[in-house]
Amino acid sequence: MYSAHKRIAETAALAGVIMLESHAESYRVEDTVRRMLATSGLNITEVVSTTTGLYITLDDTNPDIETITIVRRITSRGNHLRKIYRVNNISRALTAKQISIEEAYQQLQLVDQLEYTPRQKNIANIILVVAFAILLGGNFGEVIVSIFAGAVIGYSTTIKDFFGMNEFIYGMMTTALVALIFPIVIYFIPYQISSDIIIISGLMPLYPGTAFMNGVRDTLKGDYNSGLARIADALVIALSLALGVVLGLSISGGVILFLSSI
């Protein structure tokens, strides 16, 4: 009995971790995990999720049942709506008894493998940056330059993973790079191009809009710890982006001023 309950707890914990790492709201994570734990038939199923942790307890009023407690630390977060969708489908299939707990566990382990490849993500980033350049009224030259800005944003994640950067350093480094390179490049282009449109378009994929909105939703739902933590996380990332832009523009401005004086 203990091993069966242990597997249910591990499966529910895996589902919760995937959802938290994908920026799912805390109330959604807790509801999904609690429903999966309920398939054990035990009376006590407690779940608490925050931005940085997941806490699960599976117990029963029967003293012969040993308490199972699982704690999972959440260290990486990103916007992965498709992962949330897949976990929800697996949870529904499990609670509807369409699949066994072992099948649910195996399918959850495959969720990450079914994610988009780095190349697909980079192409999506480029398309997103170009779309914002067009939305901001960019001309033909600005749209072309925004393609390269999108490539810098997309491939900067490779540098982040290689050096193991946290979100603050990554955000500041990437925005500083964009604000440093493109004003200087545009200076040498004999065509009317606004560096503001390029920089703003390049920053849009990095803004933590989803995290901030989920923080507001959790707060309105009464999950104050999780909500305020998400909002704080989003504000810290936004601050890193602002600092990066200031740093990059300060250096590029000095370089352009020096080039103009030659």
Side-chain angles (χ1 to χ4, degrees), residues 141-157:
E142 289 160 352
V143 171
I144 295 300
V145 175
S146 69
I147 295 175
F148 298 96
V152 171
I153 297 297
Y155 286 98
S156 65
T157 56

Side-chain angles (χ1 to χ4, degrees), residues 9-114:
E10 290 174 346
T11 303
L14 178 58
V17 168
I18 294 173
M19 295 183 73
L20 284 174
E21 290 179 343
S22 302
H23 268 160
E25 305 93 325
S26 289
Y27 75 87
R28 186 187 303 275
V29 175
E30 292 177 359
D31 180 68
T32 299
V33 173
R34 188 176 292 108
R35 289 176 183 274
M36 296 179 74
L37 291 176
T39 62
S40 65
L42 301 185
N43 297 327
I44 302 174
T45 55
E46 297 293 342
V47 186
V48 176
S49 67
T50 65
T51 308
T52 57
L54 178 68
Y55 311 90
I56 294 175
T57 295
L58 186 60
D59 199 1
D60 195 80
T61 53
N62 185 348
D64 296 331
I65 301 297
E66 187 173 353
T67 303
I68 301 173
T69 298
I70 295 179
V71 178
R72 293 287 185 267
R73 172 73 172 172
I74 309 300
T75 56
S76 62
R77 293 174 293 276
N79 297 324
H80 304 287
L81 297 181
R82 191 169 74 158
K83 288 186 179 182
I84 299 174
Y85 169 75
R86 290 184 180 277
V87 172
N88 279 334
N89 284 344
I90 295 171
S91 172
R92 291 189 182 97
L94 176 64
T95 54
K97 299 182 179 180
Q98 296 173 354
I99 60 175
S100 66
I101 190 65
E102 289 296 335
E103 291 173 329
Y105 187 78
Q106 293 172 3
Q107 290 181 22
L108 287 171
Q109 289 181 313
L110 295 175
V111 168
D112 284 332
Q113 299 178 18
L114 297 173

Side-chain angles (χ1 to χ4, degrees), residues 119-198:
R119 182 179 179 182
Q120 291 172 326
K121 293 179 181 179
N122 292 337
I123 293 175
N125 274 320
I126 293 173
I127 295 174
L128 181 61
V129 172
V130 171
F132 273 109
I134 296 173
L135 182 65
L136 294 172
N139 56 35
F140 179 77
E142 289 160 352
V143 171
I144 295 300
V145 175
S146 69
I147 295 175
F148 298 96
V152 171
I153 297 297
Y155 286 98
S156 65
T157 56
T158 303
I159 301 175
K160 172 190 175 185
D161 295 336
F162 181 80
F163 290 101
M165 297 179 181
N166 60 33
E167 293 296 331
F168 185 88
I169 299 300
Y170 165 69
M172 188 168 64
M173 178 207 72
T174 305
T175 52
L177 198 60
V178 172
L180 170 63
I181 293 175
F182 289 96
I184 298 175
V185 171
I186 292 172
Y187 176 80
F188 291 100
I189 298 177
Y191 190 79
Q192 187 63 35
I193 296 178
S194 171
S195 61
D196 293 343
I197 290 180
I198 305 302

